[in-house]
Amino acid sequence: MLTRNQMLQSGMEAANFPELARRLDSVTADLRETVMQARMQPVGNLFGKFPRMVRDLARTCGREVRVEFSGQETGLDKSLLEAIKDPLTHAVRNAVDHGIESPADRVLAGKSAEGCLRLKAFHQSGSVVIEIEDDGAGIPIERVLEKAIERNLVTAEDAAGMSEREALQLIFLPGFSTAAAVTTVSGRGVGMDVVRANVEKVGGSVEVESRRGVGTTLRLRVPLTLAIVPSLVVKSGGQAFALPQSTLVELVDIPEREFAQVVQRIGSSELYRLRERLLPMVWLDRLLGLEADNPDQSKGHYLAVLEAEGCRYGLVVDDLMSPEEIVVKPLSPVLREIGLFSGATVLGNGTLALILDIGATAARAGVKPIEEEVSGIGAGEAAVLEGAGISFLIFEDRVRERTALPLDVVERIESVPLGQIEYAGGRPLLQYRGELLPLRDEGSVLMELESARQAGEETMVTILICGDAGVAGAQRGGMVVRQVLDVSTGTLIDQGEATQGMELALVKEKLTQVHREFGVKAKAAWQEVA
């Protein structure tokens, strides 16, 4: 209220107006965070009703089932908790009725007579994931295809050419059921399509994995909240669209002079070669039937690398606007029927923008899910793959010295004016979104930039905003770097006399020092500043 009153009395022409605007932004962020925490409820409130329901259902179906929980303390918005209650209940009933076998069948298969149903909840990439896992017989693919053909959901020719992953998606078609008879539990035609529809209605997604004789896992992925979503705003065909940051992997700028070398055409499809990996390209203006609004092709193209529901592809757009935390508005039924948009929002400049449904966009463009084949890998090969599968952000903080941070530690990359960095006790600090962030400057980058600033040059500082979720009580902070080089996977090198205690990795055949002290040793030093 104090800040509002000062802004009303000062007017936009006042010299202190930018400072008041920053203070109001900080207060608003704190207020929103407080309200969101008040709306958050533990998923355990929803899990609490399942033990009795499973016990009664198991008795009805002639099963022996125990229920195990993990992650009950995971917080979820109250409205979302209500929205997924029915889909989660249906998934649990399905697991008991269809997934877990009878005690006699389990004993014959070499399992214990009692089946196990596990419900897990955890945070991942800005979303809450709830898994319903059973150790039953798995989903019989041939039975699924047979039922789909019998109900005229697919043709026999299409079914013959389907992969196992594609066949599993048939269980989400309306009216699909493998139940042999109609009972109070199943076979009534109300199936997994209702589960998917209800979860997608709140901006979530549903995935299923199954192994014959081992069990089935149904994975519900829902956003933390429906109210506010961090998004990247892009322009295509003269219109603005919002991409949820939880689905954004990275951004690529393709200069026009390199376009022919990095883009390959196979038939009518275009593929972009990103770090020796071919990525399907989807032109947003062509997909939506918009008129191209990029007459000057000489400036190149922007590629937003997106991933959702097992599909990774590059969305080609005309221009990139600044990231915004948008307030989601529900779509009218007419626009919802288009199937490509999950909502709408009003941007900071007052214009409207539709929020793209990344999974639906991939399906409309014909992008196929990534098939991950891991069968046939020996123990030694698996160990190599595990070591090579670590994603790093590569940067320089000293000249000709490459350093890497685990990618899951880096939250954002910010470029801020040098004048915004303040000092207390000789240590650099940054006021960032209402929070005081201590900065690490191991390469003395700030000192060099300060010299350039005194010479009259315009100076910007590149800062990695980091937060180590794996360390209890670890504080967020910033790391000052000369330049960000790349995001890539690397292979860790065994420590020996040559490494002198340093942790090193090979990233694109170049030696890179791995920095892991962010949330451990740095924490004590930063707490002194705070």
Side-chain angles (χ1 to χ4, degrees):
M1 291 296 292
L2 292 173
T3 306
R4 188 200 69 168
N5 293 340
Q6 290 177 26
M7 292 184 75
L8 290 174
Q9 293 177 16
S10 299
M12 293 184 65
E13 297 79 13
N16 65 336
F17 187 83
E19 180 185 347
L20 291 174
R22 283 196 297 270
R23 193 186 307 165
L24 183 63
D25 177 56
S26 172
V27 172
T28 306
D30 289 343
L31 179 61
R32 189 200 73 193
E33 188 67 26
T34 304
V35 172
M36 294 312 301
Q37 289 299 325
R39 288 177 60 87
M40 291 292 176
Q41 293 188 359
V43 178
N45 293 350
L46 191 58
F47 286 176
K49 70 171 188 176
F50 288 126
R52 180 172 180 175
M53 187 190 84
V54 170
R55 186 173 63 247
D56 294 345
L57 194 60
R59 188 180 298 119
T60 302
C61 299
R63 310 279 198 271
E64 294 180 14
V65 185
R66 74 175 186 277
V67 187
E68 297 179 358
F69 301 107
S70 65
Q72 298 99 310
E73 70 286 348
T74 304
L76 191 60
D77 191 289
K78 180 182 177 182
S79 59
L80 283 169
L81 213 58
E82 289 294 322
I84 67 168
K85 181 171 64 176
D86 290 342
L88 193 59
T89 302
H90 191 103
V92 170
R93 292 170 66 91
N94 252 19
V96 175
D97 185 33
H98 291 290
I100 297 177
E101 316 96 309
S102 65
D105 290 341
R106 291 182 61 85
V107 171
L108 286 175
K111 303 179 182 179
S112 63
E114 184 183 52
C116 181
L117 181 65
R118 299 182 182 88
L119 276 79
K120 305 177 186 176
F122 54 91
H123 291 284
Q124 187 182 76
S125 303
S127 304
V128 172
V129 179
I130 300 177
E131 291 184 349
I132 304 98
E133 179 185 346
D134 66 67
D135 64 347
I139 299 176
I141 301 298
E142 64 279 358
R143 176 73 172 154
V144 170
L145 293 173
E146 179 186 326
K147 277 290 182 181
I149 296 170
E150 180 184 314
R151 294 172 181 263
N152 295 321
L153 299 175
V154 295
T155 63
E157 292 77 14
D158 291 340
M162 281 187 173
S163 66
E164 186 172 319
R165 185 188 184 103
E166 290 172 330
L168 282 175
Q169 302 307 309
L170 294 175
I171 69 172
F172 295 109
L173 294 177
F176 184 88
S177 177
T178 56
V182 177
T183 67
T184 57
V185 180
S186 61
R188 295 161 294 161
V190 181
M192 296 300 292
D193 63 309
V194 177
V195 174
R196 169 171 274 186
N198 288 345
V199 173
E200 289 182 345
K201 194 183 299 181
V202 295
S205 62
V206 182
E207 304 165 13
V208 62
E209 295 176 3
S210 184
R211 291 180 60 190
R212 194 68 179 269
V214 177
T216 303
T217 300
L218 190 72
R219 191 173 293 110
L220 311 182
R221 191 183 303 272
V222 294
L224 274 172
T225 174
L226 284 177
I228 297 172
V229 178
S231 299
L232 174 71
V233 183
V234 301
K235 291 194 72 175
S236 186
Q239 299 187 32
F241 300 92
L243 308 177
Q245 284 191 9
S246 59
T247 62
L248 183 63
V249 180
E250 60 183 296
L251 293 169
V252 180
D253 181 14
I254 311 176
E256 183 62 25
R257 65 180 182 275
E258 299 178 7
F259 192 82
Q261 286 78 29
V262 296
V263 174
Q264 300 182 9
R265 287 177 172 83
I266 301 177
S268 60
S269 302
E270 291 179 315
L271 303 171
Y272 174 69
R273 183 170 291 280
L274 178 64
R275 291 190 288 275
E276 305 307 318
R277 178 178 179 180
L278 291 176
L279 200 67
M281 296 175 66
V282 178
W283 296 74
L284 185 56
D285 52 357
R286 299 176 189 174
L287 184 69
L288 299 179
L290 304 173
E291 291 186 8
D293 191 42
N294 186 16
D296 184 14
Q297 295 291 337
S298 61
K299 69 177 185 180
H301 305 272
Y302 294 105
L303 190 75
V305 182
L306 306 171
E307 184 168 5
E309 299 179 12
C311 298
R312 177 176 287 204
Y313 61 98
L315 189 70
V316 184
V317 296
D318 296 338
D319 200 6
L320 302 177
M321 300 169 68
S322 59
E324 291 189 25
E325 292 186 329
I326 60 174
V327 178
V328 178
K329 303 289 185 182
L331 287 176
S332 66
V334 176
L335 290 175
R336 200 180 303 130
E337 287 179 3
I338 298 174
L340 290 176
F341 308 108
S342 58
T345 188
V346 180
L347 301 177
N349 58 9
T351 59
L352 294 174
L354 291 168
I355 305 169
L356 277 176
D357 185 327
I358 305 305
T361 302
R364 182 70 61 88
V367 178
K368 297 292 185 182
I370 303 168
E371 297 289 346
E372 297 182 10
E373 298 293 341
V374 295
S375 58
I377 297 179
E381 292 171 306
V384 171
L385 285 177
E386 184 179 355
I390 303 173
S391 295
F392 294 110
L393 185 141
I394 317 299
F395 62 90
E396 275 188 3
D397 55 359
R398 297 181 179 88
V399 178
R400 290 178 56 82
E401 185 171 321
R402 292 163 53 93
T403 310
L405 270 177
L407 191 58
D408 56 359
V409 168
V410 182
E411 295 180 3
R412 294 177 69 88
I413 303 173
E414 292 285 354
S415 182
V416 301
L418 183 61
Q420 287 190 14
I421 295 177
E422 304 171 271
Y423 291 84
R427 291 174 176 166
L429 304 168
L430 175 66
Q431 295 188 46
Y432 178 75
R433 297 188 176 185
E435 186 178 356
L436 189 62
L437 295 187
L439 301 180
R440 299 188 70 178
D441 182 18
E442 297 185 350
S444 301
V445 178
L446 292 177
M447 188 180 300
E448 293 182 15
L449 293 178
E450 193 67 46
S451 302
R453 183 189 182 196
Q454 292 174 1
E457 299 178 15
E458 179 66 24
T459 51
M460 301 293 288
V461 186
T462 302
I463 298 176
L464 307 180
I465 307 299
C466 304
D468 195 342
V471 179
Q475 183 186 353
R476 293 170 74 212
M479 183 169 290
V480 181
V481 302
R482 290 178 184 275
Q483 61 176 331
V484 176
L485 301 176
D486 200 357
V487 175
S488 184
T489 56
T491 305
L492 294 176
I493 299 175
D494 292 336
Q495 294 190 7
E497 292 183 7
T499 63
Q500 296 182 353
M502 294 186 295
E503 187 173 3
L504 301 175
L506 275 180
V507 183
K508 289 188 174 179
E509 304 305 322
K510 291 189 177 181
L511 202 60
T512 305
Q513 182 178 355
V514 180
H515 191 87
R516 293 186 186 271
E517 297 180 354
F518 169 72
V520 188
K521 295 181 181 178
K523 176 183 166 189
W526 287 351
Q527 282 183 339
E528 290 178 20
V529 179

